[in-house]
Amino acid sequence: MNKKAAIGFIFITLVIDVTGLGLIIPVLPKLIEQLIHGNISNAAKWGGWLTATYAVMQFVFSPVLGGLSDKYGRRPVLLFSLLGLAVDYLFLSFAPTIAWLFVGRAIAGIGGASFTTATAYIADISTKENRAQNFGMIGAAFGIGFIIGPVLGGLLGSFGARIPFMVAAGLSFLNFLYGYFILPESLSKNNRRAFDIKRANPIGSLLQLKKYPNLGGLIFSFILIYMAAHAVQSNWSFFGIEKLHWTEKMIGISLGVVGVLVSIVQGGLIRFINPKIGNEKSVYFGLLLYAVGLMLFAFATQTWMMFLFLVPYCLGGICGPALQSIISGNVAANEQGELQGALTSLISLTSIFGPMLMTGLFSYFTSTKAPFYFPGVSFVAGSLFMLASALIAYFSLHNKTSTKKLMP
């Protein structure tokens, strides 16, 4: 298999996948408002529960799909995931009540292994020298998809809150067809392993991480990053509407700018920065930039400030691929799918509690019950989580009592 071509195939698949996701973000707050007949503060809380529903299902099923991908290959699992997303968007397109949104999100969570399988796919075809750079391509695909998706979703939202969902369904189905006819298999039969249901349940998958006790601190650092990220992921649209009076179009434009910056960092800068300073320093610098960006968001009072503060925040993206490279580089080749399934289960846990925490903080501090009005409170919490993550990563990589030194 041509490895460069394979990276290209998975890259295009992820771009289309993220574009579909980006399409619905600008209009989801308004759709929730319509279905609950409430205000943006209440809608934020429902948005957190919707994200949590997706995450619960992903938590349960990701290790199963990760284990299946180690047995049958990455390709069939990825195709199943893409088809599940198409069904989800169809449910969201025609949902008559808020309950139907939860049904759609549950279906998407069951099949939501596209990024899990993509990371295992990239691990299959990467070497030690280019692993971090190749993982960075996931971020670049995310960035490009977020340039196209939210901007298009914001524009389509002017024709109706449900139109972007229909377009996203069509894109996901086209992505399934693209993968079916174009995407090659990455996992050779020599590197496959038998499927074990005990290792393929969420608790069993997490327990497999006990085989790597030296990775515990880094995995906890990984968890805190994803918890902190929900200060932005779960709150960006709600904060923009509440504090800055953004429309769907402005939400789409702002996320498009996020996409441009993420693409520059993940697809370009990281390929120069990471080889020069190494994985370890990339983690520290990235987390510090994340923390600074989040704290600045919390006190922004104008739209231009949010755009400016995106620069340090998005530069923080150099830490993710570096940390993932360190963790992946300390695990055997035939256990990468299991590892990525376990990590995705952990991410799913953060996506259960992260949105509820961050949207809950936002909802409370924008309500009349709060002691003071502060819609930026979630960004402050996220900034503190990033700083804690940096400290934990440092002590994990410099643990002198460890019996096995981690390879950065």
Side-chain angles (χ1 to χ4, degrees):
M1 180 179 65
N2 186 321
K3 292 187 176 181
K4 286 188 177 180
I7 286 288
F9 290 139
I10 201 72
F11 178 74
I12 292 171
T13 299
L14 288 174
V15 167
I16 299 172
D17 194 8
V18 176
T19 298
L21 174 64
L23 272 166
I24 71 170
I25 292 177
V27 294
L28 189 58
K30 289 296 182 184
L31 180 59
I32 296 173
E33 269 192 292
Q34 291 173 12
L35 293 176
I36 66 169
H37 307 291
N39 58 27
I40 200 67
S41 183
N42 292 329
K45 193 180 297 183
W46 282 97
W49 282 102
L50 279 169
T51 305
T53 299
Y54 174 91
V56 167
M57 302 308 288
Q58 191 178 56
F59 173 69
V60 172
F61 287 95
S62 279
V64 175
L65 296 177
L68 289 173
S69 80
D70 280 342
K71 178 177 174 60
Y72 297 107
R74 316 303 184 200
R75 186 175 178 273
V77 174
L78 188 58
L79 292 177
F80 171 77
S81 175
L82 296 174
L83 192 59
L85 270 178
V87 174
D88 164 48
Y89 292 137
L90 280 176
F91 266 92
L92 299 181
S93 298
F94 300 102
T97 65
I98 192 72
W100 283 94
L101 292 188
F102 282 92
V103 173
R105 290 283 78 190
I107 293 171
I110 292 171
S114 56
F115 276 84
T116 310
T117 313
T119 51
Y121 190 109
I122 289 172
D124 293 338
I125 60 177
S126 297
T127 63
K128 181 180 178 182
E129 291 73 25
N130 66 13
R131 187 181 287 115
Q133 292 94 320
N134 287 345
F135 276 133
M137 293 304 292
I138 297 177
F142 185 90
I144 291 173
F146 255 66
I147 296 170
I148 302 168
V151 174
L152 185 58
L155 294 172
L156 290 172
S158 62
F159 297 100
R162 297 175 188 269
I163 300 297
F165 294 95
M166 298 175 187
V167 176
L171 270 179
S172 294
F173 186 68
L174 287 175
N175 203 8
F176 166 78
L177 293 177
Y178 171 80
Y180 184 82
F181 289 108
I182 302 295
L183 193 68
E185 179 55 64
S186 66
L187 185 65
S188 68
K189 293 187 177 179
N190 293 333
N191 284 331
R192 299 187 186 187
R193 66 173 177 86
F195 179 76
D196 183 354
I197 190 63
K198 291 181 180 179
R199 294 170 67 177
N201 65 76
I203 305 303
S205 177
L206 292 175
L207 290 176
Q208 291 303 310
L209 293 173
K210 291 171 66 177
K211 294 191 297 185
Y212 316 104
N214 292 338
L215 292 175
L218 292 181
I219 291 170
F220 187 50
S221 177
F222 189 77
I223 291 170
L224 287 176
I225 292 171
Y226 277 87
M227 282 289 289
H230 279 286
V232 173
Q233 293 174 15
S234 299
N235 270 316
W236 185 262
S237 299
F238 297 108
F239 178 85
I241 293 169
E242 173 70 22
K243 178 74 174 180
L244 305 170
H245 310 294
W246 283 356
T247 62
E248 292 94 330
K249 183 179 179 181
M250 181 54 70
I251 294 170
I253 292 171
S254 69
L255 291 172
V257 172
V258 172
V260 170
L261 293 173
V262 168
S263 296
I264 292 171
V265 173
Q266 302 283 356
L269 288 180
I270 196 170
R271 292 180 173 268
F272 296 99
I273 295 172
N274 184 269
K276 286 186 180 297
I277 68 174
N279 284 334
E280 186 177 350
K281 288 182 179 177
S282 293
V283 171
Y284 303 147
F285 285 126
L287 288 170
L288 181 61
L289 287 164
Y290 268 147
V292 170
L294 284 164
M295 192 63 73
L296 291 172
F297 288 152
F299 297 97
T301 56
Q302 301 290 331
T303 293
W304 67 264
M305 293 181 180
M306 296 296 285
F307 282 69
L308 179 63
F309 300 156
L310 278 171
V311 175
Y313 179 79
C314 290
L315 282 171
I318 63 172
C319 82
L323 182 58
Q324 198 161 15
S325 178
I326 295 171
I327 295 172
S328 176
N330 285 275
V331 173
N334 65 348
E335 295 179 342
Q336 289 293 333
E338 182 178 65
L339 170 70
Q340 301 304 335
L343 291 178
T344 301
S345 290
L346 288 174
I347 293 170
S348 296
L349 283 177
T350 68
S351 295
I352 295 169
F353 300 108
M356 289 194 292
L357 172 64
M358 299 303 181
T359 59
L361 285 170
F362 172 86
S363 181
Y364 178 72
F365 280 92
T366 55
S367 72
T368 55
K369 299 177 183 178
F372 55 91
Y373 177 78
F374 186 32
V377 62
S378 300
F379 296 132
V380 173
S383 181
L384 295 176
F385 281 7
M386 291 295 187
L387 291 174
S389 178
L391 288 173
I392 292 168
Y394 176 81
F395 287 115
S396 297
L397 290 169
H398 294 269
N399 184 1
K400 295 181 180 179
T401 63
S402 175
T403 57
K404 183 180 177 183
K405 185 173 175 61
L406 293 173
M407 298 293 291

